[in-house]
Amino acid sequence: MAVNLSTPNPADLLPVPGVRLGVAEAGIRKANRRDLTLIELAAGSRVSGVFTQNRFCAAPVQVCKAHIAGGAIRALVINTGIANAGTGESGLAAANATCAAVADLLGIKAGQVLPFSTGVILEPLPVDRLVAGLPKARGALRADGWFDAAHAIMTTDTLPKAVSRTVQVGGRTVTLSGISKGAGMIRPNMATMLGFVACDAAVSQALLDELVREAADLSFNSITVDGDTSTNDSFIVIATGQAGNAEITEAAGSDWAALREALIDVSVRLAQAIVRDGEGATKFMSIAVEGGADREECRKVAYAVAHSPLVKTAFFASDPNLGRILAAIGYAGIADLDVGRLRVWLGNPDESVLVAEHGGRAASYVEEAGARIMAHSELTVRIDLARGEALATVWTCDFSYDYVKINADYRS
Amino acid sequence: MAVNLSTPNPADLLPVPGVRLGVAEAGIRKANRRDLTLIELAAGSRVSGVFTQNRFCAAPVQVCKAHIAGGAIRALVINTGIANAGTGESGLAAANATCAAVADLLGIKAGQVLPFSTGVILEPLPVDRLVAGLPKARGALRADGWFDAAHAIMTTDTLPKAVSRTVQVGGRTVTLSGISKGAGMIRPNMATMLGFVACDAAVSQALLDELVREAADLSFNSITVDGDTSTNDSFIVIATGQAGNAEITEAAGSDWAALREALIDVSVRLAQAIVRDGEGATKFMSIAVEGGADREECRKVAYAVAHSPLVKTAFFASDPNLGRILAAIGYAGIADLDVGRLRVWLGNPDESVLVAEHGGRAASYVEEAGARIMAHSELTVRIDLARGEALATVWTCDFSYDYVKINADYRS
């Protein structure tokens, strides 16, 4: 049961000039299932990405990193079912064969193709079936293929995740559309968070690289379901340059600001959708830390709270358990934290209540207020460290019986 | 349901010359419950301890640290029911008043008393009821009080935890007895891991301080149930010096080696008992990492595996899920880890099987072997990083429906 998330309306998903998407049933792991997505980019598109830090980095991620460094990317190919991770040299060969097949089909070079895989790890990718499905995916290529692609990249997600919006940049309308998948930072063997955002803005490669890192930091790198990091996580931003705006080449000015705001907004909404569809989730929680000496310590505190199984089970029970929140802040690893100065609020979209100050429960806090706030499914824990000006927000979900059920019962 | 842990036989718990223990029902939080323990130490005893790193350090922990620095400790007083944490200045006053009352009763100074509290946090300690119970605890003081004390320090533990053994040191028999409590690193509001070990060896204060840090590192600091660190965690080692051995003053020689081995052994068994009694535990897991460049990176890898909710739920399901284990190793934070060189074994007390090598599943591994191993309740994950000579082992338990149930349903 996803938290305040529903299937997007296909009419709300906007074509991005320069981008066409097609899906097919390739029978990668199961029959009668759309499991192959091809994304074709117009010549001149710029592409940037960030990838998993996991040392068990999947074969397609290794190939992506190599190809993206070469530039001039013209196609993305995404399969579900098999993650092609933990597969050694033969896994690399499979990812390269996939790129070669896409290149043949589209008349481009293999180095201009980025491959992505998500699904069971430690199993070989059936390249023959994947390649056999490519012509059908190519035949299905269309500018309004975002809705289908959002479905075709799902593994155990309960809902497709897609977002579009427009923004004015240099007097032109820039369109952004994106899709994401993932229902935990990693599913049992069904690994992977994937995020793809395309826009038609004209922006230099250097700025696009800067923007993808910042957007990832503020979105996909600010969520957690269970603290596990997958072997295949990838976030890709595409700029086709067809909107007609004057190319943005400096990280300054209103054009840059508008594009930056819009891209971060789309990325955050796609990332939050993953948490809303988190395994067994019944609550969506924002952990907003302010007053830190730097952003890194704010993130430490936010993640300590967001990862605490005790906090997460308390939120599942709608229990405003201050002790667990304070204890998590206390062990976040800030050696000189003055607990006497920090303050904590619990909130929902209707109200926010100061619950802790001076090293303990706030004098004004009554349990009824806490219970009233926790009855909501959208919750905020706001923490003021009173040490500086830095901020960070992390989004997570609660920890329910269903989380254990999903992860204990799952068999690949 | 504890994993391979039973109530100790009272006859197996040995008196330690110089140590007497007494318990009482003080009605701290609930009536008709032994909730107060007094431990009296003979003059000349040496005491050392390590305490929680949580910044929300409870009042009694703050007082303990101050008093232990002054030396000449003669008594320990432990209450359950209320943790006296997150209680500010009045909490400190309550802990100091407790020490003063014990000192009056025993004719010693308040600074010679160490106070410990465990139970609900953010609630005031009822000092009057605690003090009123002290004469009865004093009247109950006896050398063979270990079994009663193991019961009286329990909160939500399902079983008492106590261990005794002897060791020959310098031609004399040294006796060690210890008790511990804790059923998670922290219980909902019932915070705290406590461990107390006493021996009658004669050992210098400097070496005792060194030994308590080493023993804590290899025992209580090598366990995890849920990754949460309590506000009150304390581990105390007492050496009364009454065994008659020549005082050990150097960290060398057979006397030191014998005492060190015995103290670490007792500490490890007490720490493991906490994991065996972990919330909802059905499996006891040793994560043994070897071949590390240093101990710290071995611990990082072991804790990444031990903390992964995905690994823990897989073990609950008796699922030999290699992908989750490899992914956890991969995100442990060792930037230059060569996953192609590492090897992983799964084992139980009967057999051990190589499951992963060369970056993926071992060619020799068959799922039946994994399933056979996982059918046991005592499991080992052995990981060879193939980078050096360092080792570290961490003990943990699985993650079950009952963990969520206990932590979501619990109301203080």
Side-chain angles (χ1 to χ4, degrees), chain B residues 183-216:
Chain B
M185 291 304 281
I186 173 174
R187 269 272 175 175
N189 289 324
M190 303 293 281
T192 304
M193 183 288 294
L194 294 177
F196 302 96
V197 177
C199 67
D200 53 354
V203 56
S204 72
Q205 185 69 44
L207 285 191
L208 189 66
D209 292 346
E210 183 178 327
L211 196 49
V212 71
R213 281 193 297 272
E214 186 181 5

Side-chain angles (χ1 to χ4, degrees), chain A residues 284-288 315 345-349 352 373 378-382:
Chain A
F284 178 81
M285 294 140 63
S286 301
I287 317 297
F315 275 64
W345 293 259
L346 285 180
N348 63 28
S352 179
I373 284 168
E378 296 269 328
L379 297 167
T380 300
V381 181
R382 179 180 153 212

Side-chain angles (χ1 to χ4, degrees), chain B residues 22 58 61 96 151 163 165 180 248 254 287 330 370 389:
Chain B
V61 172
N96 282 317
H151 280 86
V163 170
R165 62 167 283 181
S180 63
I248 304 169
S254 61
I287 317 296
E389 299 297 318

Side-chain angles (χ1 to χ4, degrees), chain A residues 330-350:
Chain A
Y331 69 67
I334 305 185
D336 57 351
L337 180 67
D338 181 351
V339 298
R341 297 190 62 196
L342 70 81
R343 290 184 298 169
V344 180
W345 293 259
L346 285 180
N348 63 28
D350 299 324

Side-chain angles (χ1 to χ4, degrees), chain A residues 49-66:
Chain A
V50 294
F51 301 95
T52 181
Q53 298 298 307
N54 197 307
R55 292 300 301 165
F56 273 95
C57 166
V61 173
Q62 296 174 52
V63 173
C64 268
K65 286 181 178 173

Side-chain angles (χ1 to χ4, degrees), chain A residues 59 89 104 130 173 210 221 276 278 293 296 321 358 374 395 411:
Chain A
E89 287 301 320
D104 275 354
L130 194 161
T173 298
E210 183 179 327
N221 287 337
R276 293 183 185 284
E296 192 46 40
N321 197 310
H358 306 314
M374 299 292 284
W395 298 283
R411 282 291 183 289

Side-chain angles (χ1 to χ4, degrees), chain B residues 18-30:
Chain B
V19 179
R20 295 198 305 157
L21 311 94
V23 308
E25 295 178 358
I28 301 284
R29 185 148 169 276
K30 291 182 182 164

Side-chain angles (χ1 to χ4, degrees), chain A residues 262-287:
Chain A
L263 181 67
I264 290 171
D265 171 51
V266 167
S267 304
V268 165
R269 284 152 66 193
L270 289 172
Q272 288 183 347
I274 289 176
V275 174
R276 293 183 185 284
D277 199 15
E279 297 170 341
T282 74
K283 300 279 201 302
F284 178 81
M285 294 140 63
S286 301
I287 317 297

